């Protein structure tokens, strides 16, 4: 499915499987707003970005890109095995990301993230299980191209593995005022085989509230690695 700028796509109650794209968007390539609800994406492959969904909100009409009550299983790409998303806010609620894989290297960039986002996001009531990457966050890789606040609420990260950096989540916002809050969530048995932390954050503020870290492993800093370029940046951990 190709959605050009200025068009809109709603996907309700659909089953999308076994699609392949040489470059981006194994199942869907969208340049504008997309709403996905109660749908399943499985065994889709993209040669580069977005194994299931490639979303580039290039139109000024784009506000939020919504994914709810949906399942992403066994999708594959070099960047963003399930979703590659940029240029608009991403909202994910009540969804599952399981057994997605990012592999290989493109333009010198190592494979990263079941979700790869360059814009702010809000993820809630979701599950990331057994996703795998070579580098930089097997579940979520957030490489900020703009300032903004993102959040993760009531979400589970279990058995995600990055063969090198940052087991479950890598958030990089060094050039911008970027904050991330994680609340009421669980990180269980995630691994970064050769580098830092289950969560790695380079930005302004990282806040972790009422979140469990159980049996996670990394070569350095098993749970959280925090680095800020701001004199006012801070890490806050409460009831975790």
């Amino acid at each position: 499915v190709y959605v050009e700028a200025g068009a809109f796509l709603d996907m309700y109650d659909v089953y999308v499987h076994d699609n392949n794209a040489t470059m981006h968007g194994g199942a869907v390539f969208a340049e504008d707003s997309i709403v996905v609800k109660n749908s399943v994406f499985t065994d889709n492959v993209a040669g580069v970005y977005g194994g299931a969904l490639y979303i580039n909100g290039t139109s000024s009409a784009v506000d939020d890109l919504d994914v709810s009550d949906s399942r992403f299983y066994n999708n594959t790409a070099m960047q963003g095995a399930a979703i590659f998303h940029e240029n608009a806010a991403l909202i994910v609620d009540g969804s599952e990301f399981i057994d997605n894989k990012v592999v290989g290297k493109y333009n010198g960039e190592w494979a990263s993230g079941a979700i790869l986002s360059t814009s702010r996001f809000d993820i809630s009531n979701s599950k990331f299980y057994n996703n795998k990457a070579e580098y930089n966050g097997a579940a979520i890789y957030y490489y900020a191209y703009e300032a903004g606040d993102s959040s993760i609420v009531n979400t589970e990260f279990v058995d995600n593995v990055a063969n090198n950096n940052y087991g479950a989540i890598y958030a990089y916002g060094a050039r911008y005022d970027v904050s991330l809050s994680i609340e009421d969530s669980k990180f269980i048995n995630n691994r970064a085989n050769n580098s830092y932390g289950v969560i790695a954050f380079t930005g302004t503020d990282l806040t972790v509230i009422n979140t469990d870290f159980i049996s996670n492993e990394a070569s350095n800093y098993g749970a959280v690695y925090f680095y800020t370029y701001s004199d006012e940046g801070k890490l806050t951990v409460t009831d975790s």
Side-chain angles (χ1 to χ4, degrees), residues 34-155:
I34 179 173
V35 175
V36 177
K37 185 175 179 64
N38 196 34
S39 295
V40 177
F41 296 82
T42 183
D43 296 301
N44 300 289
V45 178
V48 185
Y49 296 151
L53 305 179
Y54 173 84
I55 307 167
N56 184 347
T58 55
S59 169
S60 60
V62 174
D63 183 12
D64 295 331
L65 308 174
D66 295 336
V67 176
S68 62
D69 302 316
S70 295
R71 312 291 177 259
F72 295 81
Y73 301 147
N74 199 39
N75 301 287
T76 304
M78 285 189 180
Q79 302 280 347
I83 299 174
F84 184 97
H85 151 261
E86 58 186 343
N87 296 328
L90 173 66
I91 298 174
V92 175
D93 181 66
S95 296
E96 296 180 356
F97 298 81
I98 299 174
D99 292 327
N100 300 287
K101 298 180 290 295
V102 279
V103 297
K105 191 175 184 180
Y106 179 69
N107 283 349
E109 299 177 0
W110 286 100
S112 308
I115 293 178
L116 193 154
S117 177
T118 65
S119 301
R120 73 170 189 84
F121 60 85
D122 295 303
I123 297 173
S124 58
N125 308 311
S126 295
K127 297 178 180 180
F128 291 80
Y129 289 0
N130 200 40
N131 299 288
K132 293 181 171 57
E134 290 298 318
Y135 275 76
N136 296 341
I140 299 172
Y141 179 30
Y142 175 36
Y143 194 100
Y145 284 178
E146 60 187 8
D149 300 329
S150 295
S151 68
I152 297 170
V153 178
N154 192 33
T155 293

